[in-house]
Each structure stands twice: as structure tokens, then as C-alpha cells.
Amino acid sequence: MHNDKLPAAEPRLTSLSHGGGCGCKLAPGVLRDILQGMAAMPVPRELLVGLETADDAAVYQLNEEQALIATTDFFMPIVDDPHDFGRIAATNALSDVYAMGGRPIFALALVAMPVDRLSTQTIGQILEGGASVCRAAGIPIAGGHSIDSQEAIYGLVALGLAHPRHIKRNADAQPGDLLVLGKPLGVGVMSAALKKGALSADGYAQMMACTTQLNTPGIGLAALPGVHAMTDVTGFGLAGHALEMAQGAQCEVQLDWRAVPLLPGAQALAAQGFVTGASQRNWAGYGAEVLLPGGFGAVDQALLCDPQTSGGLLVACAPAALDAVLSLFSQQGFGTAAVVGRVVAASGRASLVVT
């Protein structure tokens, strides 16, 4: 089993949180109810992407050549190693910039820590983990904010730039598009196993490799004419984010479950009951809008809704662009990227159909 080396007398990071990673997100239905209560605000014409389609980031056009991408993401520990926690959180936060087709330019750190329970050394390791990812992305952490908190929370405000014509929303898929998923599923299942001491060292390594791989292909994908829509798969699971894509485009998304890549061992762990509460909340929030095939079991349903922390890009592209999309993923080390479905015209309301 994987055992993190922790300073003497300090608690495991995951013991300080009621949920970890993107599994901390509010349930889809709860979030929808909260946002419905917001008063309408004036929207300047320069705001290219706002709240309207629950996209990955806000986008504000600066001039004819530049659009500013702004996003923030933070959560509680998904692992016990402080440096690894920082790496995962930072990778996840930067992913939203890549998912919009942008290049990150700098970040701000968001830090909330129980300073009476964690040493400054441990907190420093969390921040250094995040900084190491930002260095790999070629950007600085230029500031931030910190508070004392009962639970450990870390993340980033991430800013990026893109050409306005290269911005990729989650709502612009077109009938006939193919769907490509850049990373395998199963992070939530593996984090649940880790928290209960049931994840092997190899499983931990697989999870870390997935969650700390920057979604840099998003920059090149956004420049391909045949790429119509992008998002990243995070807390709402593949089903939730594919459904958002269907609803934004008013189309039907057909998902080929047998083609969806999974992290090695994730299915076996899910079968043993290592499933997050967020997976169940996700299904409760949007399951009525998902059509499953006969015989689709509870394990597969849990993986379909499994909250991904720092998950892969979900790309809707024309069939003629598929080779270029897969080649770009492969060139940047995303060897498991695969075609997982297609977009068709909706016969009624927008929906997700799993086959």
C-alpha cells in the first residue's frame, strides 16, 4: 500500500477534509438552484464567455488579437503528500485555461490552512508543489491570498490569453462531430481507495501521472479549424460534462462506454465499493437526463459519474479533423486519448445517450 511520509504528530491531509479534489464540488442541482437566484447583471459586449453555459472560464476580449481568460479552482486534499496535493491542485486550476484554448500567463495562489494543525513546513510543501507545476507551464505565481481555516484548501486563480477566434466554448459542438477524451477516468475511485488505505503504490503512481499532466494540447487544438468545442472533465464526471456539451449545443451526445479509457485498476476498485459520495450526488443531479442501455451496472454508472480531479479534455471535432486531433494528443504524451462518442441532432430535448 502507498504510505505518505508525514511529519511527526501531524494528521494526514485527507483526514482534515470532508471531501477531496473535485469531489468537493457542489452537486449539480444545488449549484443550479443557487445560480438561478442571482440577479441579472449587465453583460458588456467584450465578455465573450460568462455564466450562460457553465463553461470552464470567463473570457473577456481585450482587442482584435487578444482575449483574456480568467478562472479559479481550489479544493481540499485528495492525497496526503503535501507536495503532491499542491501539484494536483495547480494542474487542475490551469486546465480550465487550456480547455478554453488559451495559454496561461500567470497565477495567484489561494491558501486556506489549519495553522494550528499543520506546520509551516507542510504548508510550504503544498505551495511549492503548486509552484513547480506553474514553472512547468512557464508562468509565475504573482501573488495570492491566505487565511486560517479548519480545513486545508489550496488552489489558483489562473489567467491566460488566446486569440478571440480560437476561444473554444463547451457549447459549440455540431451534429456529426466526434468526441475525443484526452485522459482516462477513475481518479475519484482511486482517491476513495487511497483514503481508506486500499490503493497500491502502482495505483497511486497512475493517479499522480494522470492528475499532474497539464492539458497543454488545448492550445494547439483550439487553432485547428475542425475543432468546434472543448471542455475538461472534472467534478461532474464524464456524464455531467458531456451533458453540458449536449445542452449547450442543443444536440444529443452519444457516448460509447466501451471505448472510454479507464485508469488501470479503477474498475476493480469500484467493484469493491470504493466509490465517492460525489459520484452518487452527480447521478442524483442529472441522471434523469441520461439514457443508459439495458444491463448497465452500478459499477459502470459510478465510473460514468466519477468526479475527475484534473481530468482530461473532451473535444468535439469534425471527422476530417480527427487525425490531427489524435496526433496532437499523442505528440504531447496523451497516449490513451480516444474517440468516445459522437454528436447528433437532437430528436427532442438535448440529452446524453450511453451505448
Side-chain angles (χ1 to χ4, degrees):
M1 302 299 173
H2 178 82
N3 291 313
D4 293 316
K5 294 181 179 179
L6 301 175
E10 287 198 36
R12 294 177 62 188
L13 286 181
T14 53
S15 73
L16 298 175
S17 59
H18 69 277
C22 287
C24 299
K25 291 179 74 169
L26 292 177
V30 173
L31 182 59
R32 188 163 51 245
D33 290 345
I34 291 172
L35 293 178
Q36 283 178 350
M38 291 182 63
M41 295 175 289
V43 178
R45 62 179 181 82
E46 293 89 353
L47 187 65
L48 304 181
V49 181
L51 292 172
E52 57 278 357
T53 62
D55 219 323
D56 300 300
V59 181
Y60 189 93
Q61 185 166 347
L62 300 175
N63 52 54
E64 293 300 317
E65 301 293 324
Q66 293 178 311
L68 178 68
I69 300 168
T71 182
T72 185
D73 214 314
F74 51 87
F75 47 62
M76 291 167 279
I78 188 175
V79 295
D80 291 313
D81 183 282
H83 191 265
D84 285 349
F85 170 41
R87 291 170 63 208
I88 294 170
T91 306
N92 178 72
L94 294 179
S95 181
D96 286 340
V97 174
Y98 295 124
M100 301 303 299
R103 183 183 301 276
I105 53 174
F106 71 90
L108 307 173
L110 301 173
V111 184
M113 295 289 158
V115 294
D116 59 335
R117 304 186 68 186
L118 293 179
S119 67
T120 55
Q121 178 186 11
T122 295
I123 297 171
Q125 289 173 356
I126 295 171
L127 271 60
E128 172 51 32
S132 71
V133 166
C134 289
R135 286 195 294 270
I139 64 169
I141 294 180
H145 186 62
S146 61
I147 63 169
D148 188 6
S149 169
Q150 291 300 305
E151 294 184 290
I153 299 170
Y154 175 70
L156 300 176
V157 174
L159 300 175
L161 291 174
H163 195 288
R165 290 199 303 269
H166 291 170
I167 296 296
K168 298 300 175 186
R169 305 194 309 158
N170 64 355
D172 294 331
Q174 300 178 13
D177 280 352
L178 298 175
L179 292 179
V180 178
L181 180 62
K183 290 184 183 182
L185 304 182
V187 172
V189 166
M190 289 190 151
S191 67
L194 174 68
K195 197 164 186 177
K196 295 183 179 179
L199 186 64
S200 67
D202 184 60
Y204 185 84
Q206 293 276 358
M207 184 180 76
M208 285 303 304
C210 182
T211 55
T212 59
Q213 187 174 25
L214 287 164
N215 277 323
T216 52
I219 301 170
L221 291 170
L224 294 177
V227 171
H228 298 137
M230 279 199 301
T231 190
D232 59 346
V233 179
T234 54
F236 296 154
L238 177 58
H241 292 286
L243 185 60
E244 285 180 343
M245 189 174 278
Q247 292 170 336
Q250 287 300 296
C251 291
E252 179 181 293
V253 166
Q254 297 178 347
L255 194 64
D256 180 1
W257 181 243
R258 291 167 296 184
V260 174
L262 301 175
L263 284 167
Q267 193 159 34
L269 287 169
Q272 295 171 44
F274 296 109
V275 176
T276 69
S279 176
Q280 298 163 3
R281 291 195 300 273
N282 282 342
W283 182 254
Y286 56 66
E289 302 169 78
V290 179
L291 181 62
L292 299 178
F296 199 80
V299 169
D300 286 333
Q301 182 180 303
L303 288 164
L304 179 66
C305 302
D306 190 50
Q308 301 306 288
T309 299
S310 190
L313 295 175
L314 184 64
V315 183
C317 68
L322 179 62
D323 286 347
V325 168
L326 291 176
S327 176
L328 200 154
F329 270 120
S330 179
Q331 290 168 13
Q332 298 193 36
F334 291 75
T336 64
V339 178
V340 298
R342 64 180 61 248
V343 180
V344 301
S347 55
R349 60 185 296 182
S351 62
L352 172 65
V353 177
V354 182
T355 61

